[in-house]
Amino acid sequence: MEKRKEIVMSGIRPTGFLHLGNYFGAVRNYVRMQEDFECYFMVADLHSLTTHPDTKELKANVHRVLAENIACGLDPDKVALYCQSHIYETAELYLYLNMLAYKGELEKTVTFKDKVRQHPDNVNAGLLTYPVLQTADIILHRALYVPVGKDQEQHLEMARNFANRFNHRYGDVFPEPQAFNYGSELVKVPSLDGVGKMSKSENQYATLYLSDDDELIRKKVMKAKTDSGPTVPGSPKPDYIENIFLLMNLVSSEEVIKKFEEDYNQCTIRYGDMKKQLAEDMVNFISPIREKAESIRNDERYLQEVMEKGAAKARISAKATMELVREAIGLKYF
Ligand code: TYM
């Protein structure tokens, strides 16, 4: 008998354009994993409601995330590519898990504390229980691996806790989900201004989006923070210079990286030249994805088909898990 493939699940919120962080933290892994695992990838539209976006824009944003995922190489025939709100079982599992999640631990979540700081007027219960909903997404498919960037590490740790707590209380239903990256360490793509990470909503000029046109990519890269260069051979790199090397590592060839590393160590580096090279390599990386995503985005019928097919696949796995969950909890009365 053929061995069943291990299960993978992940999601992206439709809160803005996908950027290089989403690509290297998440989507690049999705594309590799689709060959070897049973994969469930979704657009997390319910999670996006926690920050009260203008819901008139949801449809276009969901379409864009789907199109960008496919343009990056995700094949809707190989994976279940779906929309979170189409799988009603998620809401049911979220409800059961909420009984196992404690206010104190939820309040300590870093992403929750950040949101409270940024939007003190919108501290809703959905925001507090955001990691519970994320856990429901993952364990609904009894997933083992969750390809995500470093910023999701804490949410994954909470998902493991909630899954274990369920198993302890009601009996073994769920495996322990693990954050996953090919390589080893989870990835954090830094922002171009040297402060924090690239993000969909903050410092737009320091973030490279997969939809940026060639001129904008060049402009953003050329504005990245540098200094006058090292004066002592072999000096350690300041954070913002390390970041430029990191970005180069993602898109440039080995020879190019080696050359600039040597220039740095010999104090002959010219950051203007380095950024020009990085800008061109970035343009070559991003422009084919942008063009492909644009044409997919305009094909609404195709995207509808993708969503329907993805939801149908996801529902099969969700329904099977929920049978086990209801039985384990004791909600079967006949
Ligand atoms: P979201 O939409 O913020 O980000 C989507 C994915 O991109 C990764 N990422 C990054 N990786 C490296 N460097 C960066 N600068 C960077 N910025 C973003 C994120 O780690 C993530 O993998 N809560 C999730 C969505 C979600 C989910 C799930 C994820 C909902 N349900 C179930 C996994 C499993 C989020 O807001 O991701």
Side-chain angles (χ1 to χ4, degrees):
M1 206 173 76
E2 199 190 333
K3 195 169 154 256
R4 195 160 175 228
K5 288 179 178 172
E6 286 167 317
I7 299 173
V8 170
M9 193 278 146
S10 196
I12 300 180
R13 274 171 307 150
T15 43
F17 295 87
L18 288 205
H19 53 74
L20 221 58
N22 300 132
Y23 181 83
F24 286 105
V27 184
R28 178 174 61 165
N29 285 321
Y30 299 0
V31 174
R32 271 182 75 178
M33 293 180 103
Q34 70 183 339
E35 305 299 335
D36 300 320
F37 298 91
E38 178 177 326
C39 295
Y40 298 88
F41 297 126
M42 59 157 211
V43 185
D45 56 342
L46 299 178
H47 273 109
S48 76
L49 297 181
T50 55
T51 49
H52 297 177
D54 180 354
T55 47
K56 281 193 232 51
E57 288 168 19
L58 262 180
K59 181 175 170 181
N61 285 339
V62 167
H63 283 190
R64 186 163 49 223
V65 174
L66 288 169
E68 286 177 328
N69 269 290
I70 298 167
C72 289
L74 212 60
D75 179 349
D77 288 324
K78 289 189 180 151
V79 305
L81 181 58
Y82 62 100
C83 196
Q84 186 183 29
S85 61
H86 292 166
I87 312 300
Y88 304 149
E89 286 80 1
T90 312
E92 185 187 349
L93 184 53
Y94 169 55
L95 183 141
Y96 301 144
L97 293 174
N98 269 324
M99 321 292 180
L100 302 175
Y102 294 97
K103 181 169 162 273
E105 64 186 333
L106 295 170
E107 279 169 345
K108 274 193 246 149
T109 317
V110 173
T111 46
F112 176 71
K113 289 199 285 193
D114 284 349
K115 285 284 186 310
V116 172
R117 219 172 298 125
Q118 289 159 3
H119 307 285
D121 51 338
N122 180 27
V123 185
N124 63 68
L127 213 49
L128 182 68
T129 56
Y130 183 113
V132 184
L133 180 57
Q134 181 160 346
T135 305
D137 296 328
I138 297 168
I139 69 178
L140 186 62
H141 302 296
R142 284 169 279 158
L144 191 56
Y145 298 123
V146 186
V148 283
K150 190 145 182 63
D151 59 307
Q152 294 295 315
E153 210 164 29
Q154 190 182 28
H155 287 170
L156 260 293
E157 195 185 313
M158 295 174 83
R160 273 195 296 284
N161 287 340
F162 297 143
N164 282 332
R165 229 172 271 168
F166 183 100
N167 289 344
H168 262 118
R169 184 167 296 246
Y170 301 121
D172 264 349
V173 174
F174 300 113
E176 273 193 6
Q178 310 289 331
F180 182 92
N181 178 44
Y182 280 104
S184 51
E185 283 284 290
L186 298 183
V187 174
K188 174 183 157 190
V189 176
S191 87
L192 288 166
D193 59 7
V195 185
K197 63 181 169 83
M198 283 197 188
S199 111
K200 286 194 213 104
S201 40
E202 290 153 50
N203 22 328
Q204 313 246 325
Y205 221 80
T207 294
L208 288 163
Y209 296 95
L210 300 182
S211 54
D212 283 347
D213 67 39
D214 295 353
E215 266 328 289
L216 190 54
I217 297 169
R218 291 191 181 99
K219 252 196 222 149
K220 286 182 178 179
V221 173
M222 293 313 289
K223 276 187 74 149
K225 181 175 173 180
T226 52
D227 53 28
S228 51
T231 47
V232 181
S235 324
K237 298 183 185 105
D239 283 354
Y240 48 92
I241 299 296
E242 188 71 77
N243 286 352
I244 296 182
F245 275 96
L246 235 158
L247 290 169
M248 208 168 217
N249 264 294
L250 298 174
V251 293
S252 302
S253 71
E254 270 177 40
E255 301 88 79
V256 164
I257 297 161
K258 194 161 161 248
K259 174 201 167 340
F260 286 104
E261 284 286 356
E262 280 170 11
D263 288 355
Y264 182 87
N265 285 328
Q266 290 159 12
C267 305
T268 53
I269 193 155
R270 290 159 59 133
Y271 288 132
D273 292 348
M274 183 179 184
K275 288 196 281 188
K276 258 189 215 145
Q277 175 75 48
L278 177 62
E280 287 321 302
D281 292 340
M282 213 42 105
V283 164
N284 287 334
F285 176 78
I286 290 178
S287 64
I289 297 179
R290 180 188 64 229
E291 281 158 24
K292 204 162 164 206
E294 261 166 30
S295 75
I296 298 170
R297 195 152 50 92
N298 293 327
D299 192 346
E300 281 212 19
R301 260 188 57 186
Y302 170 69
L303 288 176
Q304 186 184 335
E305 263 170 45
V306 166
M307 271 188 274
E308 281 173 355
K309 196 163 52 180
K313 282 191 218 166
R315 272 184 211 118
I316 293 173
S317 128
K319 281 188 195 316
T321 301
M322 291 315 291
E323 281 294 313
L324 299 176
V325 165
R326 292 183 206 113
E327 189 155 351
I329 298 179
L331 295 168
K332 288 232 161 159
Y333 306 130
F334 48 82

